[in-house]
Amino acid sequence: PRGFLSYANSVATDFNRPWNTLQYIPSGGATTITADGLKDTVWGLRAPYRAGSSFLMNSNTANAVDKLKASGSGEYIWRDGMQAGSPPSLLGYPVEFDETMPDVTAGSLSIAFGNFKLAYVIVDRTGIRFIRDQLTDKPRLLFYAYKRVGGGMANTEALKLVKTSTT
């Protein structure tokens, strides 16, 4: 499978971006994430894709975002889940965690937002195949099992990245 962070990215909007290129939204700070940058990301995703969308980030990034406050009211924009086991929400959308996402540093793509069901497809070939190996460890008989799986971007308009930068 090919991860979505391995695709080319550009600041160009959906209708002006080359095919198979993800759009990034500047975070608003050279080395930090800002509340306004996150709001720009939500509104940068077109309406057909916002339903079913969620944020994806690692725990260190979530720690930084958890401290952000809305500019006018001074309230935190992060909301913890109201029930045990429910995900926290950010600007009304659920937050999922993936520890392989990069930390917030200058120029990093540390947050993804979008409808992952529409954006990414996983191809899973049914069945497990076995190979019989009778030569490696005589007189024992070894079996190797493998499964073919792939994945990639199906719709780059359904996912936006947050890049830690001002432009």
Side-chain angles (χ1 to χ4, degrees), residues 4-5 14 17 22-25 33 37-58 61 65 88-96 101 109-120 153 155-163:
F4 62 85
L5 289 179
D14 286 345
R17 194 173 59 248
L22 288 167
Q23 180 184 4
Y24 71 83
I25 309 293
I33 303 290
L38 292 173
K39 287 181 180 182
D40 290 342
T41 304
V42 169
W43 293 111
L45 189 67
R46 292 194 349 235
Y49 304 118
R50 279 197 295 266
S53 291
S54 62
F55 284 94
L56 181 69
M57 63 187 78
N58 70 22
T61 303
V65 172
S89 67
L90 178 62
L91 300 172
Y93 294 94
V95 179
E96 301 295 334
M101 290 288 288
L109 298 166
S110 51
I111 298 174
F113 174 72
N115 190 325
F116 288 90
K117 290 181 181 178
L118 297 176
Y120 196 84
M153 293 299 298
N155 184 352
T156 57
E157 293 180 357
L159 185 67
K160 304 295 180 199
L161 303 172
V162 178
K163 185 173 186 175

Side-chain angles (χ1 to χ4, degrees), residues 62-85:
N63 182 30
V65 172
D66 188 17
K67 299 172 186 173
L68 294 177
K69 295 181 180 180
S71 58
S73 64
E75 293 182 20
Y76 290 103
I77 62 173
W78 183 279
R79 300 275 186 243
D80 289 323
M82 297 302 283
Q83 297 177 357

Side-chain angles (χ1 to χ4, degrees), residues 94-143:
V95 179
E96 301 295 334
F97 298 100
D98 181 1
E99 299 305 326
T100 60
M101 290 288 288
D103 289 335
V104 177
T105 57
S108 69
L109 298 166
S110 51
I111 298 174
F113 174 72
N115 190 325
F116 288 90
K117 290 181 181 178
L118 297 176
Y120 196 84
V121 65
I122 297 174
V123 180
D124 185 8
R125 187 166 181 176
T126 57
I128 298 175
R129 304 216 186 259
F130 293 94
I131 299 174
R132 179 179 163 183
D133 182 3
Q134 55 191 2
L135 303 174
T136 303
D137 193 17
K138 287 192 174 206
R140 295 178 178 88
L141 186 63
L142 301 175
F143 289 95

